[in-house]
Amino acid sequence: MIKVKKRKILLLPGDGIGPEVVAEVKKIIEWFNKNKSLDFEIDEDLVGGSSYDKNGTPITDEVFYKALECEAVILGAVGGPKWDNLDFSKKPERALLKLRKELKLFANLRPAICFKQLVNASSLKPEIVSGLDIMIVRELTGGIYFGEPRGIKLVDNGERKGINTHVYTSNEIQRVAKVAFDLAKKRNNKVTSCEKSNVMEAGQLWKEEVQTLHEKEYKEVKLEHMLADNCAMQLLRNPKQFDVIVTDNLFGDILSDEAAMLTGSLGLLPSASLGAKDKNGNIRSMYEPVHGSAPDIAGKGLANPIATILSFAMALRYSLNLDKEAETLEKSVQSVLDDGLRTKDILSQGKKEVSTTQMGDAIISKLK
Ligand code: NAD
């Protein structure tokens, strides 16, 4: 068999259930290395609260530079009550914001797929969600979470005023819209762009820039514009009308959580954050489950590793150009669900409960 070149993957397990779910991905990477002659080089390091405990900072410069140099970062989760009262700059979540900002990961991809085996886990009627497959593309490095001026200020009458600024440039809008159009071309060829152009100038600019890009480069993709509040409603009324949704940082934060819940469980939801192509054509990227560190179940073998495993499948597809392997991994997950194996968060009557490691092992056995 031909050996392909070594690709560096950085594992940052983080806190809480992070190390448990990332350990299952590590087993899968090792399986691919051994059985498919892939030559992934795995590095692993601290991030979040565990990094703060050892190094006094949620991410060291050394780890940050490793992230810059590898082909894909797989992150578990960060945070937990132990670190809740730290100064803002030391909080575990600062590591995530730093990685997203400095790696310029401007596009966050969150698929919401309703597995047919788990259709009853959704709070919506089965006919509304069965077969659902949508992709939300959220702008991740601009908008109101980063805009200046910001802060809490004292005003004349002794009251306090909280200020945040919602700001976007044409370039920021067009580069994330491009990601959405390119994805749509490989899917069902439809993009829904969401903003609040009826009440916000930045929303009006968003709509115009997406439209301009569409007319210039993506005429063959169907484009519709939708107000973000309507999109929130349509996601519950008829989610299957959507293929790719592209929206800003704030609305994307909310709409992607809403879409996620259509599928029933946090333990199943992967995500990818992508940056621009560098001069060698490589894309900086980070892959992580949507869920947090779940301190309530950490260390008990109850965590569902599927979200993190599917995040690795996204890494195979978007960063490592291994579409076939990505598909094999996704099919293995489906096949284990077909067999009725469930971690506790998705357990239903008549199904067999398995632990985090048993779920990982079962998925690996299907890869064979
Ligand atoms: P959470 O996602 O950690 O947990 C919410 C609920 O879902 C909990 O009941 C948890 O047990 C369950 N859950 C989550 N993932 C699961 C999995 N894989 N398998 C089974 N059950 C799962 O959210 P939270 O409780 O609001 O936050 C806990 C901590 O995680 C906080 O410190 C928060 O800041 C942090 N957090 C981190 C990230 C991240 O690292 N990207 C994201 C969200 C929250």
Side-chain angles (χ1 to χ4, degrees):
M1 264 186 261
I2 306 162
K3 281 258 173 194
V4 297
K5 112 175 160 27
K6 273 198 175 189
R7 297 144 183 255
K8 277 191 196 161
I9 298 180
L10 177 62
L11 301 181
L12 298 176
D15 310 318
I17 61 168
E20 297 168 58
V21 292
V22 171
E24 299 312 303
V25 167
K26 191 173 175 183
K27 283 180 354 197
I28 290 171
I29 300 174
E30 283 163 352
W31 186 90
F32 273 114
N33 273 352
K34 194 161 162 232
N35 296 283
K36 294 280 174 195
S37 281
L38 296 177
D39 219 351
F40 294 126
E41 191 181 311
I42 306 173
D43 196 354
E44 194 169 331
D45 223 311
L46 298 176
V47 73
S50 55
S51 170
Y52 175 79
D53 286 349
K54 180 147 185 257
N55 305 309
T57 171
I59 182 164
T60 61
D61 287 347
E62 191 195 345
V63 172
F64 175 66
Y65 286 116
K66 279 186 190 178
L68 277 178
E69 276 166 20
C70 70
E71 242 135 317
V73 178
I74 314 285
L75 189 133
V78 297
K82 185 177 173 193
W83 304 283
D84 275 352
N85 296 322
L86 287 178
D87 185 66
F88 195 61
S89 65
K90 306 273 187 210
K91 278 192 188 290
E93 291 76 8
R94 293 306 295 173
L96 284 187
L97 294 181
K98 177 165 174 159
L99 282 166
R100 286 175 187 163
K101 190 153 196 263
E102 303 294 329
L103 297 180
K104 299 190 173 61
L105 304 176
F106 62 84
N108 183 224
L109 276 50
R110 280 176 55 168
I113 296 169
C114 188
F115 293 106
K116 64 178 189 311
Q117 302 89 340
L118 298 172
V119 75
N120 291 320
S122 171
S123 53
L124 295 192
K125 292 184 191 129
E127 64 270 25
I128 305 271
V129 287
S130 177
L132 179 75
D133 179 359
I134 58 185
M135 176 74 86
I136 302 215
V137 180
R138 164 189 169 193
E139 202 289 328
L140 202 59
T141 53
I144 201 158
Y145 294 160
F146 295 97
E148 299 281 348
R150 63 185 297 155
I152 299 176
K153 295 192 176 130
L154 262 182
V155 286
D156 291 347
N157 62 2
E159 271 201 288
R160 295 193 307 153
K161 185 156 80 171
I163 304 159
N164 291 92
T165 304
H166 185 83
V167 54
Y168 272 108
T169 63
S170 323
N171 174 50
E172 285 173 322
I173 298 167
Q174 290 214 9
R175 69 181 180 176
V176 74
K178 214 169 178 358
V179 172
F181 283 126
D182 285 336
L183 278 168
K185 276 163 73 174
K186 293 187 190 163
R187 295 170 46 95
N188 292 320
N189 216 34
K190 180 177 169 192
V191 169
T192 306
S193 169
C194 295
E195 28 57 23
K196 287 285 287 173
S197 55
N198 53 342
V199 285
M200 295 167 74
E201 284 77 3
Q204 194 182 327
L205 183 77
W206 184 281
K207 186 176 177 182
E208 287 168 11
E209 293 297 335
V210 174
Q211 184 67 35
T212 304
L213 178 69
H214 179 253
E215 279 161 23
K216 225 167 58 191
E217 292 180 39
Y218 293 99
K219 272 203 174 121
E220 71 281 19
V221 180
K222 187 171 178 333
L223 169 67
E224 73 177 356
H225 300 281
M226 192 178 273
L227 296 175
D229 50 342
N230 185 25
C231 181
M233 194 177 73
Q234 296 297 334
L235 274 170
L236 296 183
R237 200 182 70 85
N238 177 18
K240 283 190 253 178
Q241 72 184 283
F242 297 108
D243 177 23
V244 177
I245 295 174
V246 62
T247 188
D248 70 26
N249 206 342
L250 174 65
F251 298 137
D253 195 357
I254 297 164
L255 293 174
S256 59
D257 266 10
E258 185 190 350
M261 275 297 97
L262 299 174
T263 67
S265 170
L266 264 179
L268 297 169
L269 296 162
S271 82
S273 301
L274 308 180
K277 275 190 187 146
D278 64 20
K279 55 182 185 304
N280 302 320
N282 297 322
I283 296 179
R284 292 243 160 84
S285 55
M286 181 159 83
Y287 298 85
E288 51 184 317
V290 166
H291 62 72
S293 59
D296 53 331
I297 58 165
K300 297 181 182 163
L302 294 175
N304 187 343
I306 291 180
T308 316
I309 290 171
L310 291 177
S311 300
F312 177 60
M314 291 181 87
L316 289 169
R317 181 168 287 123
Y318 297 121
S319 288
L320 304 161
N321 282 323
L322 292 167
D323 286 30
K324 215 176 87 207
E325 284 75 5
E327 208 174 299
T328 309
L329 184 51
E330 287 159 354
K331 282 197 176 138
S332 302
V333 170
Q334 294 264 8
S335 173
V336 166
L337 294 175
D338 278 338
D339 288 352
L341 302 190
R342 305 279 189 273
T343 42
K344 195 170 180 191
D345 56 314
I346 50 172
L347 189 62
S348 58
Q349 224 182 0
K351 306 297 176 198
K352 182 169 185 272
E353 185 175 342
V354 293
S355 68
T356 310
T357 51
Q358 285 169 331
M359 180 57 92
D361 290 341
I363 292 168
I364 289 173
S365 76
K366 296 290 179 182
L367 287 171
K368 291 170 192 161

